[in-house]
Amino acid sequence: MPQIKEQRILDYVLQNAVKGDPQSVVDAIDKYCSEKEWAMNVGNEKGLILDKIVSETNPSTALELGTYCGYSGVRIAQLLKPGACFLTVEKNPVHAAIAKQIFEFAGVQEKIKILEGSSEEIIPQLKSKHKVNTFDFIFIDHWSDRYTPDTKLLEECGLLKQGSVLLADNVIYPGAPDFLQYVRNCSRYECTNYPSHLEYMDKEDALEKAVFKG
Ligand SMILES: COCc1ccccc1-c1cc(O)c2[nH]cnc(=O)c2c1
Ligand SMILES: [Mg+2]
């Protein structure tokens, strides 16, 4: 029995999903985490909202803050057009290693670049070190205390352009009240709330979309 939950999730995917089939990987993670062990993947209910917003945005450049096991990374990657640039930031090296293997098994590893480190370290390096200009889509799902400072950092680093779409998970549970207050009261964002539930639970949660007006 592997010693950490994330390794058990990976093993379940390797044994139950179809190699090269991203949706089977997503479904296997949802099955394991709803039947065996809860884990903080965005899940299918909020995942379908994520899918809709990614499809509507159809980004050429996308950023994810908080890779975890790679569940939302696989969901996003399978919707991206050929040649799109997708970067995902993960602070925990063990989680990053799991996600790398999930992306490889799903067959989306060519579409995603995992950047290991803290968002506050990596965001200021994105233009210089990772040849990024601006992001069309950003999924914020790392740690609620970092939502607001990292949003401000993205602005300050010139990584947002008119129309950039930020989508934040967990704005109700665990909650990101300062983030909601910031984007909803700042005239530079157009906000929409998407009520949903905490992954694999009945608890209320929501996604918040904040479109940068430039
Ligand atoms: C470690 O806490 C796990 C947990 C426990 C209870 C309720 C919610 C969460 C939770 C749910 C999520 O979708 C999350 N997404 C991203 N970063 C998180 O820290 C996170 C936490
Ligand atoms: Mg989350």
Side-chain angles (χ1 to χ4, degrees):
M1 166 85 144
Q3 70 287 10
I4 62 163
K5 173 171 69 177
E6 291 74 18
Q7 184 65 52
R8 292 194 289 271
I9 292 171
L10 171 61
D11 287 355
Y12 184 83
V13 166
L14 298 179
Q15 282 149 27
N16 293 277
V18 175
K19 191 165 177 46
D21 177 348
Q23 192 57 45
S24 77
V25 170
V26 167
D27 294 341
I29 295 172
D30 280 333
K31 185 170 169 58
Y32 185 83
C33 295
S34 39
E35 292 176 3
K36 310 270 193 319
E37 297 186 80
W38 187 91
M40 60 178 173
N41 317 113
V42 74
N44 195 50
E45 186 182 322
K46 290 186 286 180
L48 286 167
I49 300 167
L50 168 66
D51 293 352
K52 187 169 75 70
I53 294 166
V54 170
S55 300
E56 283 166 2
T57 310
N58 192 22
S60 297
T61 53
L63 174 68
E64 176 180 62
L65 302 178
T67 315
Y68 189 44
C69 293
Y71 174 91
S72 48
V74 172
R75 288 196 84 116
I76 294 167
Q78 70 175 334
L79 295 171
L80 295 179
K81 59 193 168 194
C85 164
F86 180 23
L87 305 178
T88 182
V89 178
E90 178 52 56
K91 190 175 187 174
N92 180 318
V94 174
H95 295 169
I98 298 285
K100 184 172 181 292
Q101 296 172 78
I102 290 281
F103 293 152
E104 286 164 359
F105 187 83
V108 299
Q109 74 286 350
E110 299 300 314
K111 292 169 171 263
I112 306 181
K113 188 170 182 193
I114 303 176
L115 306 179
E116 265 186 58
S118 68
S119 49
E120 62 268 28
E121 259 169 48
I122 288 180
I123 289 171
Q125 297 174 346
L126 289 172
K127 281 197 185 250
S128 54
K129 199 168 169 195
H130 301 288
K131 306 291 163 267
V132 170
N133 183 17
T134 55
F135 288 106
D136 301 319
F137 177 81
I138 299 169
F139 184 46
I140 307 173
D141 189 27
H142 52 341
W143 185 245
S144 43
D145 292 357
R146 291 294 319 166
Y147 284 21
T148 305
D150 284 348
T151 299
K152 290 178 176 172
L153 196 51
L154 288 162
E155 290 171 21
E156 288 152 18
C157 294
L159 288 161
L160 303 182
K161 68 177 182 187
Q162 185 169 15
S164 290
V165 174
L166 280 67
L167 183 67
D169 189 23
N170 308 117
V171 297
I172 302 297
Y173 197 84
D178 61 301
F179 174 76
L180 291 181
Q181 209 263 335
Y182 175 66
V183 290
R184 290 177 178 177
N185 298 317
C186 171
S187 60
R188 300 176 79 186
Y189 290 97
E190 198 76 46
C191 298
T192 311
N193 186 263
Y194 297 84
S196 184
H197 294 90
L198 180 68
E199 50 269 21
Y200 319 116
M201 304 288 283
D202 290 341
K203 270 184 179 299
E204 307 246 311
D205 191 12
L207 297 169
E208 184 83 0
K209 181 173 79 167
V211 180
F212 190 63
K213 308 311 284 174

